[in-house]
Amino acid sequence: MSRSASIKDVANHAQVAVGTVSNVLNYPDRVSQRTKDRVLQAIDELGFVRNDAARQLRAGHSRTIGLIVLDVGNPFFTSVVRAAEDAAALQGSAVLLGDSGHDAGRESNYIDLFQEQRVQGLLISPVGDVTDRLDVLRERGVPTVLVDRLADEAQYSSVSVDDDAGGYLAARHLLDLGRRRLAFVGGPTSIRQVADRLQGAQRAVAEVPDASLEVLDSAGQTVLAGRSVGDQLVRRSPDQLPDGVFCANDLLALGVMQSLAMMHKLRIPEDIALIGYDDIDFAVSAVVPLSSIRQPTEALGRTAIELLAEELDTPDSAQPRHRAVIFTPELVVRQSTAGV
Amino acid sequence: MSRSASIKDVANHAQVAVGTVSNVLNYPDRVSQRTKDRVLQAIDELGFVRNDAARQLRAGHSRTIGLIVLDVGNPFFTSVVRAAEDAAALQGSAVLLGDSGHDAGRESNYIDLFQEQRVQGLLISPVGDVTDRLDVLRERGVPTVLVDRLADEAQYSSVSVDDDAGGYLAARHLLDLGRRRLAFVGGPTSIRQVADRLQGAQRAVAEVPDASLEVLDSAGQTVLAGRSVGDQLVRRSPDQLPDGVFCANDLLALGVMQSLAMMHKLRIPEDIALIGYDDIDFAVSAVVPLSSIRQPTEALGRTAIELLAEELDTPDSAQPRHRAVIFTPELVVRQSTAGV
DNA sequence: CCGAATCATTGAATCGTTTCATTAGTACGA
DNA sequence: TCGTACTAATGAAACGATTCAATGATTCGG
């Protein structure tokens, strides 16, 4: 239960000055081999571990980056988080992770915490309106990068995915298969992601003369919501049926698939080609493996860290440059839209 | 880009001593109302935020708890994490989350990091053999609680779930439905969880004279592995079929269900009653909603924090008492084992 | 062999907070 | 009026690492 060893203990034990121990740790080149060996041995014998609090007190800032996501349970964010952690580790920083759970209160608490911790910078996928708080942080030299949200480039850097392009990709793919009577299944269009994906799909359909796109509003973004849409489809007469269905996310698509599979009147992809969005793990192992749109989550996480690093490298004097990086998602073709 | 205000700046601005500002923050009762008001106003005007590094340097330890999980993407751990965060917040601590991803190297890095951060204590779901490192931590007054792993009570506290009891529950439930020809589907029994669940199931079966349990080894713990087991079942002649199937996790069960559903020769639950383990989100929204065994993840996370707090409250002089808390899982009945 | 240049090492000052012994101020009873 | 008891406020010391100007040691060219 002994208090852990400090740099001073190491110095005594190795018969050198504290400054020398510090140099061994931070600027090994400045120290002769002999002393370095002695110091390293002392460190080993005492089991010395740097006290990060003291270090960052002196430095004025920590070596950590705050990251606040909407929901760690969501595979999209899980993947972003992991990529961000790895990218941060490469540049010698650690990531403090906060899960706001779509709750503005929790979000605000994490901002407080991270501010007390004097994080170098902040990555955030915001819930509430946090611009005021972020402005304060910026004034204090703590840059922010918005994640999965397009930002005013004059104010912040940001990384996001082009949902319109994703919607276009999905619809275009169905059209390329020769399908013409398309349907879009998606929750309330008040959700930006849903609206953008729909818009992209409409753009693709507009390019093909005899193609049409019907919008089927779903109650939510869940498997069950998808199943109830699917149940409605199954009841239609054959000439009223779409031949290609694009769902705003994979859960909806799996629901639709379940519904069709249970009735086993309509075949996927022969009668209806089906595509989802997000490429969740379950997409591969669905009864009929589900085509989907994959978002470059690793690139998102990595780039967010890089943009932050750019701002941190900007000398205090210079005006920081912000950048908004927009990624294009990727089409993943599986059996649910296989050519027939 | 101004350096952020320190307690000294606040003291000057409010015309008081630094100690007084500190008292306002930590012991408001010791300060008169008048001064308190002046100080709080100064804090507000300067936008002062405590520097946690300085605080913990003085205190000798931080107000954070390290938590290392095997996989944040796994809903089991996601839920444990969230519960632990909430419980920690109640006692004024924050949780630093590390995801080892089943990698002993990453695990070790996180232990290093947390040690530098001087965390109060550590919760860990270990990958490798970390007992040596945990021993060092304990010597330094940093207690550890093992999560989802039963530990030698003389050494550590731990929280875990009784997988044997879970297996018993599942099999017992099938037996209670009148099923007698049971099958267990599970990955390599070298995985402790799998072995324990099987053992519990065997215990239940042994209690019923004319009941039998067949073990079907699956390649892994995935939907696809489950499907291939299901495919084998479907090919059997009716008199060779089990009438109750217990899968070591929900993914396997969903795979088996898919396989049976696709062939639509065998009905669930009429011909085969099916139960999984873990109660993942997808269990509810399966084609036939899946019965499962739910693990008390919130209780795990909360209790882990509480056990840690117990050890932290133990005075340095006293011998710390360790406790191993074992939770019993819970049966969730859905349509896949509905009475017929 | 001397002075200059280079290299290695030293140790005091510093970061921002908390703690605590000390001082100042106030109220009250005798 | 004095002493006591209490409350409020003070400010220096301490935590542990880093930094940097100063010092000491060594090498090298002339």
Side-chain angles (χ1 to χ4, degrees):
Chain A
M1 200 60 108
S2 56
R3 186 185 54 81
S4 53
S6 78
I7 210 176
K8 198 184 276 179
D9 300 325
V10 174
N12 289 337
H13 196 260
Q15 309 262 47
V16 297
V18 288
T20 303
V21 178
S22 175
N23 282 332
V24 170
L25 295 170
N26 301 298
Y27 307 95
D29 307 344
R30 294 188 189 164
V31 185
S32 73
Q33 191 60 48
R34 263 175 48 81
T35 3
K36 211 180 329 188
D37 291 345
R38 273 223 314 290
V39 171
L40 290 175
Q41 190 185 344
I43 286 177
D44 202 46
E45 287 176 16
L46 299 178
F48 166 77
V49 176
R50 255 206 196 81
N51 183 325
D52 198 61
R55 198 227 276 255
Q56 76 174 261
L57 172 57
R58 185 63 237 255
H61 62 90
S62 69
R63 283 158 30 262
T64 52
I65 292 166
L67 169 53
I68 304 179
V69 299
L70 291 172
D71 176 12
V72 274
N74 183 327
F76 174 84
F77 286 113
T78 309
S79 171
V80 171
V81 167
R82 200 165 299 185
E85 280 183 342
D86 290 343
L90 282 181
Q91 56 170 58
S93 302
V95 169
L96 297 184
L97 179 60
D99 178 7
S100 69
H102 293 274
D103 179 309
R106 287 181 69 120
E107 174 176 64
S108 183
N109 285 339
Y110 274 115
I111 297 180
D112 288 343
L113 178 66
F114 290 166
Q115 217 176 336
E116 289 193 4
Q117 304 270 0
R118 297 290 192 272
V119 294
Q120 296 179 286
L122 183 64
L123 309 186
I124 183 171
S125 193
V127 193
D129 182 5
V130 285
T131 48
D132 287 354
R133 306 215 50 185
L134 301 186
D135 287 345
V136 172
L137 285 173
R138 191 187 25 223
E139 268 170 35
R140 309 229 164 127
V142 182
T144 299
V145 174
L146 298 185
V147 175
D148 197 32
R149 153 130 0 161
L150 196 56
D152 177 359
E153 213 168 327
Q155 301 289 325
Y156 310 101
S157 287
S158 66
V159 291
S160 53
V161 183
D162 189 341
D163 281 297
D164 177 279
Y168 179 88
L169 261 181
R172 180 80 224 176
H173 173 57
L174 293 175
L175 293 167
D176 286 346
L177 290 172
R179 310 296 165 124
R180 288 295 176 270
R181 301 178 49 85
L182 304 192
F184 173 87
V185 179
T189 48
S190 56
I191 300 178
R192 188 192 49 75
Q193 274 89 347
V194 175
D196 287 358
R197 289 168 197 180
L198 171 55
Q199 184 187 316
Q202 286 167 331
R203 199 155 53 79
V205 170
E207 290 176 5
V208 177
D210 54 341
S212 66
L213 180 73
E214 175 188 9
V215 177
L216 301 173
D217 211 329
S218 69
Q221 309 262 60
T222 63
V223 175
L224 293 180
R227 198 147 71 199
S228 91
V229 171
D231 289 347
Q232 291 167 29
L233 283 179
V234 171
R235 274 188 241 108
R236 293 192 181 181
S237 67
D239 57 319
Q240 296 294 316
L241 279 174
D243 55 7
V245 174
F246 167 37
C247 296
N249 82 9
D250 284 345
L251 297 181
L252 286 169
L254 292 176
V256 170
M257 185 184 294
Q258 280 182 1
S259 180
L260 305 196
M262 274 195 290
M263 307 314 254
H264 45 82
K265 261 175 30 192
L266 295 168
R267 293 161 306 162
I268 296 174
E270 292 82 354
D271 302 319
I272 294 186
L274 183 64
I275 184 166
Y277 207 107
D278 285 344
D279 194 30
I280 63 177
D281 284 346
F282 270 94
V284 203
S285 44
V287 173
V288 181
L290 180 69
S291 297
S292 193
I293 302 293
R294 179 187 296 154
Q295 313 206 54
T297 47
E298 298 83 9
L300 270 184
R302 191 175 353 102
T303 308
I305 294 286
E306 286 167 3
L307 291 182
L308 197 64
E310 274 182 24
E311 299 205 31
L312 288 170
D313 289 344
T314 311
D316 292 11
S317 52
Q319 199 55 241
R321 288 279 297 279
H322 303 293
R323 292 205 291 143
V325 177
I326 301 174
F327 287 95
T328 305
E330 187 189 346
L331 173 67
V332 181
V333 178
R334 299 205 181 83
Q335 206 182 319
S336 74
T337 62
V340 209
Chain B
M1 200 58 109
S2 56
R3 187 185 52 81
S4 53
S6 77
I7 212 175
K8 199 184 275 180
D9 300 325
V10 173
N12 289 336
H13 196 262
Q15 310 262 47
V16 297
V18 289
T20 304
V21 178
S22 175
N23 281 332
V24 169
L25 295 170
N26 301 297
Y27 306 94
D29 306 344
R30 294 188 188 165
V31 185
S32 74
Q33 192 61 47
R34 264 175 47 81
T35 2
K36 211 181 330 188
D37 290 345
R38 274 223 313 290
V39 170
L40 289 176
Q41 190 185 345
I43 286 178
D44 203 45
E45 286 176 17
L46 298 178
F48 166 78
V49 176
R50 255 206 197 80
N51 183 324
D52 198 60
R55 197 228 276 254
Q56 76 174 261
L57 171 58
R58 184 62 237 251
H61 61 89
S62 68
R63 284 157 31 262
T64 53
I65 293 166
L67 169 53
I68 304 180
V69 299
L70 291 172
D71 176 12
V72 274
N74 183 327
F76 174 83
F77 286 114
T78 308
S79 171
V80 171
V81 167
R82 199 165 300 185
E85 281 183 341
D86 290 342
L90 281 180
Q91 56 170 59
S93 303
V95 169
L96 297 184
L97 178 61
D99 178 8
S100 70
H102 293 273
D103 178 309
R106 287 181 68 119
E107 174 176 63
S108 183
N109 285 340
Y110 273 115
I111 297 180
D112 288 343
L113 178 66
F114 290 166
Q115 217 176 337
E116 289 193 3
Q117 304 271 359
R118 298 292 191 273
V119 294
Q120 297 179 294
L122 183 64
L123 310 186
I124 183 171
S125 192
V127 193
D129 182 5
V130 286
T131 48
D132 288 354
R133 307 215 48 185
L134 300 186
D135 286 346
V136 171
L137 284 173
R138 190 185 27 220
E139 268 170 35
R140 309 231 164 128
V142 181
T144 299
V145 174
L146 297 184
V147 175
D148 197 33
R149 157 139 346 172
L150 195 55
D152 177 359
E153 213 167 328
Q155 302 289 324
Y156 310 101
S157 286
S158 65
V159 292
S160 52
V161 183
D162 188 341
D163 282 297
D164 177 278
Y168 180 88
L169 262 182
R172 181 80 224 175
H173 173 55
L174 293 174
L175 294 166
D176 286 347
L177 291 172
R179 311 296 165 124
R180 286 296 177 270
R181 300 177 51 85
L182 303 193
F184 173 85
V185 179
T189 47
S190 56
I191 299 178
R192 187 192 48 76
Q193 274 88 347
V194 175
D196 287 359
R197 289 168 196 180
L198 170 56
Q199 183 186 318
Q202 286 167 330
R203 198 155 53 80
V205 170
E207 291 177 3
V208 177
D210 54 340
S212 67
L213 180 73
E214 174 188 10
V215 177
L216 301 172
D217 212 328
S218 68
Q221 309 262 61
T222 63
V223 175
L224 293 180
R227 198 146 70 198
S228 90
V229 171
D231 290 345
Q232 291 166 30
L233 283 179
V234 172
R235 273 188 243 110
R236 293 191 181 180
S237 67
D239 57 319
Q240 296 294 314
L241 279 174
D243 55 8
V245 173
F246 166 38
C247 296
N249 81 9
D250 284 345
L251 297 181
L252 285 170
L254 292 176
V256 170
M257 185 184 295
Q258 280 182 0
S259 180
L260 305 196
M262 275 195 289
M263 307 313 256
H264 44 82
K265 262 175 29 191
L266 295 167
R267 293 161 305 162
I268 296 174
E270 291 82 354
D271 302 319
I272 294 185
L274 182 65
I275 184 167
Y277 207 107
D278 284 345
D279 194 30
I280 63 177
D281 285 345
F282 271 93
V284 203
S285 45
V287 174
V288 181
L290 180 69
S291 296
S292 193
I293 302 293
R294 178 186 298 155
Q295 314 205 53
T297 47
E298 298 82 9
L300 270 184
R302 192 174 355 102
T303 308
I305 294 286
E306 286 167 4
L307 291 182
L308 197 63
E310 273 182 23
E311 299 206 31
L312 287 170
D313 289 345
T314 311
D316 293 11
S317 52
Q319 199 55 239
R321 288 280 297 280
H322 304 293
R323 291 206 291 144
V325 177
I326 301 174
F327 287 95
T328 305
E330 188 189 345
L331 172 68
V332 181
V333 179
R334 299 205 180 84
Q335 206 181 319
S336 74
T337 62
V340 206

